[in-house]
């Protein structure tokens, strides 16, 4: 709270020094900006535009704190069950007034195209800023990651993408051919999206890279444009650390119950 008030005071003092008009009008915006800066451990940078307008923006330093009210975890294979849970959890944060930014921690080998699309669509349609924090994102998890407004990768993190694999669902031979055509069109659109998201990599280069599994260390993910920056420091709040999460997994007809710490790190 004290830091928020100090930041707001500095911003207002700066506006006075720059001669910004309508100071009362901008007060609420300055306080909101200060709150955002405090929540994200960012640096507030202000400058004067050629027209004399004060411009302030928070510069994120890659410092993240996960809390019980801002975090969703995408862990394990992306299948119908995990996608449904992710979307349900996402809706809760989407309609919460406590946060304006949602963090998605990713540690997944990928999975189903259908389940991945379900998750990708909910991320893309969010009215809040969605920040992906990647520990490991391969295959469909790589694709999901590219839908975030911001993509951070842990210094020890890894991304991997390759050509999609799978087979038609069966049926009469003419219908199987149509399924193959649909799969090829779908995968082509996914590859185009991923290549476009990897800002420093052309489509041809992207396709060449994924010919044989394209493995990216954290700095390589950033330099290729498949991630925006490193997450220099990621921590969990005390209440998140003390929280436990229980999930059910099915293996060969058996159901296994696993209990995780609320902090995914």
């Amino acid at each position: 709270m004290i830091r928020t008030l100090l930041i707001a005071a500095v911003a207002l003092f700066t506006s006075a020094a720059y001669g910004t008009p309508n100071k009362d009008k901008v007060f609420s915006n300055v306080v909101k900006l200060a709150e955002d800066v405090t929540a994200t451990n960012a640096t507030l940078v202000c400058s004067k535009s050629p027209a004399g307008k004060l411009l302030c923006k928070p510069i994120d330093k890659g410092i993240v704190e996960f809390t019980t009210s801002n975090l969703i975890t995408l862990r394990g294979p992306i299948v119908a069950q995990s996608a449904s849970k992710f979307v349900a959890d996402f809706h809760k944060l989407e309609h919460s007034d406590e946060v304006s930014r949602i963090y998605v921690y990713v540690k997944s080998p990928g999975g189903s195209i259908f389940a991945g699309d379900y998750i990708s669509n909910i991320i893309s349609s969010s009215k809040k800023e969605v920040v992906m924090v990647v520990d490991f994102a391969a295959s469909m998890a790589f694709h999901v990651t590219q839908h975030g407004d911001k993509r951070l990768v842990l210094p020890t993190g890894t991304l991997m993408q390759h050509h999609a694999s799978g087979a038609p669902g069966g049926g009469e031979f003419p219908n199987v051919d149509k399924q193959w055509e649909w799969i090829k069109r779908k995968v082509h659109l996914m590859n185009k999206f991923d290549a476009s998201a990897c800002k420093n990599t052309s489509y041809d280069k992207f396709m060449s890279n994924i010919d044989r599994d394209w493995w990216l260390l954290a700095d390589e993910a950033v330099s290729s444009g498949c991630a925006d920056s490193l997450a220099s420091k990621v921590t969990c709040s005390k209440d998140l650390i003390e929280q436990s999460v229980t999930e059910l997994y099915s293996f060969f007809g058996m159901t296994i119950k696993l209990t995780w710490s609320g902090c995914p790190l």
Side-chain angles (χ1 to χ4, degrees), residues 96-109:
S96 169
D97 295 328
E98 294 184 40
V99 293
S100 59
R101 173 182 291 181
I102 297 172
Y103 289 107
V104 178
Y105 175 86
V106 183
K107 189 170 187 176
S108 169

Side-chain angles (χ1 to χ4, degrees), residues 27-43:
F27 179 77
S28 60
N29 290 335
V30 169
V31 172
K32 177 64 172 64
L33 180 62
E35 290 173 345
D36 290 342
V37 168
T38 303
T40 59
N41 292 298
T43 299

Side-chain angles (χ1 to χ4, degrees), residues 36 39-41 60 62-67 69-74 86 90 93 99-106 129-133 150 152 231 233-235:
D36 290 342
T40 59
N41 292 298
D60 196 323
I63 300 176
V64 174
E65 182 183 38
F66 294 147
T67 70
S69 60
N70 70 8
L71 174 67
I72 299 177
T73 300
L74 181 60
F86 180 95
F90 196 96
L93 295 191
V99 293
S100 59
R101 173 182 291 181
I102 297 172
Y103 289 107
V104 178
Y105 175 86
V106 183
E129 182 184 25
V130 181
V131 179
M132 315 298 289
V133 181
K150 190 169 186 179
L152 304 181
K233 182 179 181 181
V234 182
T235 61

Side-chain angles (χ1 to χ4, degrees), residues 130-143:
V130 181
V131 179
M132 315 298 289
V133 181
V134 175
D135 186 343
F136 178 65
S139 193
M140 195 63 194
F142 179 102
H143 181 69

Side-chain angles (χ1 to χ4, degrees), residues 9-24:
V10 170
L12 286 173
F13 176 80
T14 306
S15 69
Y18 279 137
T20 302
N22 300 321
K23 298 179 185 63
D24 291 338

Side-chain angles (χ1 to χ4, degrees), residues 90 114-126 144 147 186:
F90 196 96
F114 296 105
D117 275 349
Y118 193 27
I119 294 173
S120 298
N121 290 338
I122 198 70
I123 291 174
S124 297
S125 62
S126 176
V144 169
H147 288 77
K186 179 66 176 174

